[in-house]
Amino acid sequence: MSIPSDAQLFEDHFVVERLGDPKYDRVDRIYCHSKDQSISMSLDINKELFPCKVDENLHVAIATSLSYDGSKDEERGWRDVAKAGTSDATLADIFDYVCYGKIYKFEDAEDGKTIKAYISFGGLLMSLEGPYKKLTPLRVDYVYLLVRRM
C-alpha cells in the first residue's frame, strides 16, 4: 500500500549500518543508507517501541497527512482517530513506528548537488542527506515519520 502522492514528501528503503553510542536509556541513534546508497539517514528512535539491529531493512516515509486521501489532519491526529473507535483507516495502521514533528532546517552541500534536511520529532532528531532530486519535495513543515520493517 503506497502513500497518496499529494501527502507523500519522501519514501525510500534503508539498511541500518550501525547504531550510535547510547546516550539515553530509551533512545538509539541509527545510521542508515538507502538501498541505492544515494541517501544517508541518521535517526533517533525509541528503542523500547521500535528496536533496530544492524543490517535490518526499513521502509521510511515522510508525509504531511495520515489520511489515505491526503486530506490534512486539521482537527484530530491519528491517536484521536484510534480513541474514537472509528473505522477510519490511516497510514499509521500499516507502519510500525509513527512520529509527528517538524522539518526545521536545510543545508546545501559544498558540491552543490546534495542537500541535508533536519527534522525534529519532539527532541528525537533525524537528518537526511542526498541529491536535490530526491529531497526536493521536503520543505519546512509539520510532518509524520512512518517506519516499518521490510
Side-chain angles (χ1 to χ4, degrees):
M1 203 173 281
S2 66
I3 297 173
S5 61
D6 51 348
Q8 176 184 333
L9 299 178
F10 174 82
E11 187 171 21
D12 212 334
H13 298 110
F14 288 87
V15 177
V16 177
E17 293 186 337
R18 68 182 175 93
L19 303 175
D21 294 329
K23 292 183 181 179
Y24 303 101
D25 292 338
R26 298 180 192 155
V27 177
D28 270 337
R29 178 163 286 174
I30 61 172
Y31 295 91
C32 310
H33 268 92
S34 58
K35 292 248 181 179
D36 66 2
Q37 296 291 314
S38 67
I39 297 178
S40 62
M41 175 180 74
S42 69
L43 174 63
D44 294 341
I45 200 152
N46 184 322
K47 65 184 176 184
E48 290 180 340
L49 298 176
F50 194 78
C52 291
K53 297 179 233 163
V54 173
D55 294 329
E56 192 164 30
N57 293 306
L58 303 175
H59 177 192
V60 176
I62 297 175
T64 56
S65 171
L66 292 178
S67 300
Y68 283 107
D69 64 4
S71 62
K72 285 285 191 181
D73 307 321
E74 304 281 339
E75 296 296 318
R76 57 189 185 146
W78 64 278
R79 288 184 178 160
D80 294 332
V81 171
K83 286 180 189 173
T86 63
S87 61
D88 295 345
T90 69
L91 291 172
D93 298 333
I94 61 170
F95 284 87
D96 302 316
Y97 187 78
V98 179
C99 290
Y100 183 72
K102 184 173 185 176
I103 301 173
Y104 67 91
K105 180 178 163 184
F106 291 93
E107 286 180 356
D108 293 324
E110 290 182 21
D111 64 7
K113 297 178 183 177
T114 60
I115 190 169
K116 191 169 188 176
Y118 296 92
I119 309 167
S120 176
F121 302 99
L124 298 178
L125 302 177
M126 175 183 198
S127 69
L128 289 168
E129 185 171 11
Y132 274 104
K133 186 176 181 179
K134 287 193 171 189
L135 300 179
T136 297
L138 298 177
R139 59 190 179 272
V140 174
D141 199 356
Y142 289 95
V143 294
Y144 292 95
L145 168 69
L146 304 136
V147 183
R148 71 176 167 219
R149 290 183 175 83
M150 297 178 26

